[in-house]
Amino acid sequence: MNKFFTSESVTEGHPDKLCDGISDAIVDEILKLDNHARCAVECCAAYDRLLIMGEVTTNAQVDYEAIAREKIKKVGYIHGSFAFEKCKIDVAVHRQSPDIAMGVDRHSAADIRDSFGAGDQGMMFGYACRETEELMPLPIALSHRLAKKLAEIRKDGTLSYLRPDGKTQVTVEYDGRVPKRIDTVVISAQHNTKVTQEQLAEDIKKHVICAILPPQLLDKNTKYFINPTGRFEIGGPEGDSGLTGRKIIVDTYGGRCAHGGGAFSGKDATKVDRSAAYMARYICKNLVAAGICDEVELQVAYAIGVARPVSIFINTFGTGKLADDKIADIVVKEFDLRPYSIIETLELRNPIYSQTSAYGHFGKNGLPWERLTKTDDLKKYL
């Protein structure tokens, strides 16, 4: 029986993604000066205002407002009330609570991996499957590519009437677990006041949809909705408020697997919301690439201040070459899931986070959690 699954993405100029981008830009600038800094930076944007708030513990001196204005400019907000040189910016950042820091700080050089505890409780999920070359679900991979293309043709002048805000959505029809066709494509693109709806629809179809979507997955029954409400002139924070961490499904797997609820952007790697989710993706991708399974979801859970996970759960959806409990045992044996070890393994003290803040944290070449460095170690279990 055929099934349908839908995922969405948003452009870097979407108000929530803009806030993610500013938060991660601040983290990167701090890590350049102090790679042991503790950061939990969030932003809230609305109309002509931006609030930068959170906890930062570091001796590094950075100009939060300058970083934010540069990011806003780079994304493309040079018009309207939220233009980079016009918007009002407030900064409300303080040091990390000592009650939170205590769980991570109480370690000695002799046993740092066991005493360096998780920065918070919670559960994190990883996922991988064989639907795309990058081992990501097809609907979210295509949605990201469409959203990224919207930004590219705006910035290179192909469609100069576009503005930074935008959303994409792709529905894929499956025959069992195999993607068969694209059923529906939805694109909403912010634009200036001069372009007509007819011209925009024609241009988006030509320069975005036909440029990105595999033609063999499109057919006469594929449905297209381009700016389905009509005009989309007011966008970004001027049209809707934005908040760091509000696009967690866009950031991960497009709803294909469970989500623990923790956001990524604005956080340093001592926060397992971010680092353990990256490690979970690393494990899942290597399991699939090694041939242990064709699809896998991994849950790992922590207690604040405790280094070792309180639980590990594997689900291969019936695709495993070994039983799920045996694969869980392999994960425990082959991967060190203590926070200090995760940070070391994935080199998470480096300023690499700005590139994750838009178009997904997973499936991007060059990121350390996307490396296939454990496949040989895992193949021996087959």
Side-chain angles (χ1 to χ4, degrees), residues 230-293:
R231 309 297 292 174
F232 184 7
E233 296 174 15
I234 302 174
E238 189 175 356
D240 194 5
S241 61
L243 186 65
T244 299
R246 196 156 55 181
K247 283 290 177 284
I248 58 177
I249 301 303
V250 171
D251 285 341
T252 51
Y253 307 99
R256 177 60 68 83
C257 75
H259 197 296
F264 301 158
S265 290
K267 298 176 182 178
D268 73 274
T270 65
K271 281 70 173 176
V272 284
D273 276 340
R274 186 167 215 166
S275 55
Y278 290 169
M279 189 64 172
R281 164 64 178 173
Y282 174 68
I283 293 169
C284 289
K285 188 173 182 181
N286 277 268
L287 286 171
V288 171
I292 300 288
C293 51

Side-chain angles (χ1 to χ4, degrees), residues 37-38 96 104 116-120 268-272 275 339 343 349:
R38 303 278 171 75
Q96 185 180 50
V104 180
F116 188 100
D120 201 353
D268 73 274
T270 65
K271 281 70 173 176
V272 284
S275 55
I343 291 170
R349 295 199 189 277

Side-chain angles (χ1 to χ4, degrees), residues 99-215:
D99 294 343
I100 297 174
M102 180 172 57
V104 180
D105 289 339
R106 60 183 186 198
H107 56 73
S108 64
D111 64 345
I112 190 168
R113 284 176 176 78
D114 276 327
S115 58
F116 188 100
D120 201 353
Q121 70 175 48
M123 62 279 193
M124 299 84 213
F125 289 85
Y127 180 84
C129 66
R130 294 194 182 279
E131 291 181 19
T132 63
E133 183 179 347
E134 59 268 36
L135 304 183
M136 287 287 288
L138 184 61
I140 188 65
L142 293 179
S143 295
H144 283 325
R145 292 171 199 168
L146 291 171
K148 191 172 183 180
K149 190 66 174 178
L150 271 179
E152 287 177 0
I153 62 174
R154 170 177 58 87
K155 291 180 176 180
D156 68 16
T158 301
L159 299 183
S160 58
Y161 59 75
L162 291 180
R163 295 293 179 258
D165 200 353
K167 303 181 77 170
T168 62
Q169 184 172 287
V170 177
T171 301
V172 174
E173 182 179 356
Y174 289 80
D175 182 1
R177 293 186 175 276
V178 180
K180 287 299 184 183
R181 56 182 292 273
I182 295 171
D183 182 75
T184 308
V185 181
V186 183
I187 296 181
S188 296
Q190 185 190 7
H191 55 84
N192 67 15
T193 59
K194 297 179 181 180
V195 67
T196 65
Q197 175 71 4
E198 293 74 21
Q199 183 64 53
L200 183 139
E202 180 182 332
D203 288 345
I204 294 297
K205 186 81 177 289
K206 175 182 177 180
H207 294 288
V208 180
I209 294 173
C210 292
I212 294 297
L213 297 184

